[in-house]
Short mmCIF file of all heavy atoms in Angstrom, two decimals:
data_model
loop_
_atom_site.label_atom_id
_atom_site.label_comp_id
_atom_site.label_asym_id
_atom_site.label_seq_id
_atom_site.Cartn_x
_atom_site.Cartn_y
_atom_site.Cartn_z
N PRO A 96 -7.47 4.86 21.75
CA PRO A 96 -6.67 4.41 22.89
C PRO A 96 -7.05 3.02 23.40
O PRO A 96 -6.19 2.25 23.82
CB PRO A 96 -6.91 5.48 23.97
CG PRO A 96 -7.25 6.70 23.19
CD PRO A 96 -8.03 6.19 21.99
N ASN A 97 -8.34 2.66 23.34
CA ASN A 97 -8.77 1.33 23.76
C ASN A 97 -8.22 0.27 22.82
O ASN A 97 -7.83 -0.82 23.24
CB ASN A 97 -10.29 1.25 23.81
CG ASN A 97 -10.89 2.21 24.80
OD1 ASN A 97 -10.27 2.59 25.78
ND2 ASN A 97 -12.12 2.62 24.54
N VAL A 98 -8.19 0.58 21.53
CA VAL A 98 -7.64 -0.34 20.54
C VAL A 98 -6.14 -0.47 20.74
O VAL A 98 -5.58 -1.57 20.70
CB VAL A 98 -7.97 0.14 19.11
CG1 VAL A 98 -7.28 -0.73 18.07
CG2 VAL A 98 -9.48 0.16 18.89
N ASP A 99 -5.47 0.66 20.99
CA ASP A 99 -4.02 0.65 21.23
C ASP A 99 -3.67 -0.29 22.39
O ASP A 99 -2.69 -1.03 22.33
CB ASP A 99 -3.50 2.05 21.56
CG ASP A 99 -3.49 2.98 20.36
OD1 ASP A 99 -3.56 2.50 19.20
OD2 ASP A 99 -3.40 4.20 20.58
N GLN A 100 -4.48 -0.29 23.43
CA GLN A 100 -4.23 -1.14 24.60
C GLN A 100 -4.30 -2.62 24.21
O GLN A 100 -3.46 -3.41 24.62
CB GLN A 100 -5.24 -0.83 25.71
CG GLN A 100 -5.02 -1.65 26.97
CD GLN A 100 -3.68 -1.39 27.61
OE1 GLN A 100 -3.19 -0.27 27.64
NE2 GLN A 100 -3.07 -2.42 28.15
N VAL A 101 -5.29 -3.00 23.42
CA VAL A 101 -5.41 -4.39 22.99
C VAL A 101 -4.20 -4.77 22.14
O VAL A 101 -3.65 -5.86 22.29
CB VAL A 101 -6.73 -4.62 22.22
CG1 VAL A 101 -6.77 -6.00 21.59
CG2 VAL A 101 -7.92 -4.42 23.14
N ILE A 102 -3.78 -3.88 21.26
CA ILE A 102 -2.61 -4.13 20.41
C ILE A 102 -1.37 -4.36 21.27
O ILE A 102 -0.60 -5.30 21.04
CB ILE A 102 -2.38 -2.96 19.43
CG1 ILE A 102 -3.53 -2.84 18.43
CG2 ILE A 102 -1.05 -3.10 18.72
CD1 ILE A 102 -3.59 -3.90 17.37
N MET A 103 -1.17 -3.53 22.28
CA MET A 103 0.01 -3.67 23.15
C MET A 103 -0.04 -4.98 23.92
O MET A 103 0.98 -5.64 24.09
CB MET A 103 0.12 -2.48 24.07
CG MET A 103 0.48 -1.23 23.30
SD MET A 103 0.97 0.19 24.26
CE MET A 103 2.12 -0.45 25.40
N GLU A 104 -1.20 -5.38 24.38
CA GLU A 104 -1.33 -6.64 25.11
C GLU A 104 -1.04 -7.84 24.21
O GLU A 104 -0.48 -8.83 24.65
CB GLU A 104 -2.74 -6.77 25.70
CG GLU A 104 -2.99 -5.82 26.85
CD GLU A 104 -4.43 -5.82 27.30
OE1 GLU A 104 -5.23 -6.65 26.82
OE2 GLU A 104 -4.77 -4.97 28.14
N TYR A 105 -1.40 -7.75 22.94
CA TYR A 105 -1.16 -8.84 22.00
C TYR A 105 0.32 -9.14 21.89
O TYR A 105 0.72 -10.29 21.81
CB TYR A 105 -1.74 -8.50 20.63
CG TYR A 105 -1.43 -9.54 19.58
CD1 TYR A 105 -1.99 -10.80 19.65
CD2 TYR A 105 -0.56 -9.27 18.54
CE1 TYR A 105 -1.71 -11.76 18.70
CE2 TYR A 105 -0.27 -10.22 17.58
CZ TYR A 105 -0.85 -11.46 17.67
OH TYR A 105 -0.56 -12.40 16.73
N GLY A 106 1.14 -8.13 21.90
CA GLY A 106 2.59 -8.32 21.80
C GLY A 106 3.16 -9.06 22.99
O GLY A 106 4.30 -9.51 22.96
N GLN A 107 2.38 -9.21 24.06
CA GLN A 107 2.86 -9.86 25.26
C GLN A 107 2.27 -11.25 25.47
O GLN A 107 2.46 -11.87 26.50
CB GLN A 107 2.52 -8.98 26.48
CG GLN A 107 3.16 -7.62 26.40
CD GLN A 107 2.63 -6.67 27.45
OE1 GLN A 107 1.96 -7.07 28.40
NE2 GLN A 107 2.92 -5.41 27.28
N LEU A 108 1.55 -11.76 24.47
CA LEU A 108 0.96 -13.09 24.61
C LEU A 108 2.06 -14.15 24.59
O LEU A 108 3.04 -14.02 23.85
CB LEU A 108 -0.01 -13.39 23.47
CG LEU A 108 -1.34 -12.68 23.51
CD1 LEU A 108 -2.15 -13.04 22.27
CD2 LEU A 108 -2.12 -13.05 24.75
#
Side-chain angles (χ1 to χ4, degrees):
N97 298 334
V98 174
D99 288 343
Q100 182 62 38
V101 172
I102 295 287
M103 291 192 47
E104 289 172 7
Y105 175 68
Q107 300 170 13
L108 286 177

